[in-house]
Amino acid sequence: MSDTSATLSLPYLMPAQAQRHVTHNDALDRLDLVVQLVVTAFDATNPPTSPTEGECYAIGQTPTGEWVGNAGLLTVFQNGGWVYISPKNGWLATTDTGDIRLYSGGTWVDARNQTALQNLPELGINATADSTNRLSISSDAVLLNHAGAGHQVKVNKASTADTASLLFQSNWSGRAEMGLSGTDDFAVKISADGNTWTAALSVDATNGNVTLAQALTLTPAPTPTSPTAGMLYFDGTTTTLRCYDGNQWYDLF
């Protein structure tokens, strides 16, 4: 039988052992270190000059002074000296400032870094995700901000016949959709019931020509005071569509 426990190496009391309280207290000191593990610093290399009782460090790879030869271990100042313990894969430790680390592969890694959030099968934020909506967010708003200068929202599809679009719903029923729906032409579609859809506008992917599915309705407006070349406006008084060529207005019809 081993003299220590398998996981935390806590010393066992032996039959007919004298000074049992010493062994018992040693085990309590080790439990006091690893249960609710809080360290003063990770990757520490220099022992403090005036440590306090119970002060704990995760030693880095190039320790100095009293810590030499104990790289990668946990150490706690107990009973006037440094006690060393080997951490196990899966242990969590934190600092009093909220830094959380996971011991994995012989090092303390950030338990909240981006690698922990890679290749998640589903993610729900204040919502429940499923196999179709693998990312689900329930919120009053979603902010997508730049990290430098610009920002792009990308919606990709596998092939021309597939769909890459933004769908706008009312009570979970589609009412408007814009994007690449079954072709590479950009289209805006509308629906009154979520079943029957009408393409209101489409833009040809090859030449940029715009096609309107219905007649264009123009709202009468006063003559613009600062027109620019190419500007159109509908004169409600004369029911005329007018165009500005950069110098003067021309009646189109």
Side-chain angles (χ1 to χ4, degrees), residues 194-226:
N195 295 311
T196 302
W197 290 83
T198 300
L201 175 150
S202 63
V203 183
D204 193 296
T206 59
N207 54 33
N209 289 342
V210 177
T211 301
L212 299 176
Q214 303 294 329
L216 181 65
T217 301
L218 301 176
T219 301
T223 303
T225 57
S226 301

Side-chain angles (χ1 to χ4, degrees), residues 62-75:
T62 57
T64 63
E66 295 180 75
W67 291 353
V68 169
N70 295 289
L73 300 184
L74 287 168
T75 186

Side-chain angles (χ1 to χ4, degrees), residues 164-166 176-181 183-190 198-204 211:
S165 68
L166 297 179
E177 184 177 12
M178 65 179 186
L180 312 179
S181 301
T183 73
D184 283 342
D185 296 338
F186 183 83
V188 177
K189 301 190 299 181
I190 57 172
T198 300
L201 175 150
S202 63
V203 183
D204 193 296
T211 301

Side-chain angles (χ1 to χ4, degrees), residues 224 226-233 241-252:
S226 301
T228 58
M231 180 178 289
L232 297 172
Y233 92 96
L241 181 63
R242 311 191 73 196
C243 177
Y244 190 73
D245 68 355
N247 296 301
Q248 59 182 342
W249 289 99
Y250 286 94
D251 293 343
L252 296 180

Side-chain angles (χ1 to χ4, degrees), residues 25-127:
N25 289 342
D26 184 24
L28 291 180
D29 283 341
R30 288 174 176 267
L31 285 173
D32 192 51
L33 166 63
V34 300
V35 176
Q36 300 295 334
L37 180 57
V38 178
V39 302
T40 301
F42 294 100
D43 300 317
T45 55
N46 301 315
T49 55
S50 300
T52 59
E53 188 73 11
E55 197 169 341
C56 177
Y57 292 87
I59 302 177
Q61 296 305 308
T62 57
T64 63
E66 295 180 75
W67 291 353
V68 169
N70 295 289
L73 300 184
L74 287 168
T75 186
V76 61
F77 193 74
Q78 289 179 340
N79 302 316
W82 294 103
V83 178
Y84 303 97
I85 293 180
S86 297
K88 305 287 186 181
N89 284 333
W91 282 15
L92 284 172
T94 183
T95 65
D96 57 7
T97 59
D99 187 6
I100 303 175
R101 302 286 184 97
L102 170 71
Y103 192 76
S104 176
T107 186
W108 292 97
V109 298
D110 189 343
R112 300 167 300 180
N113 69 9
Q114 66 270 22
T115 60
L117 296 176
Q118 298 295 331
N119 296 311
L120 294 177
E122 297 173 3
L123 177 61
I125 301 177
N126 196 34

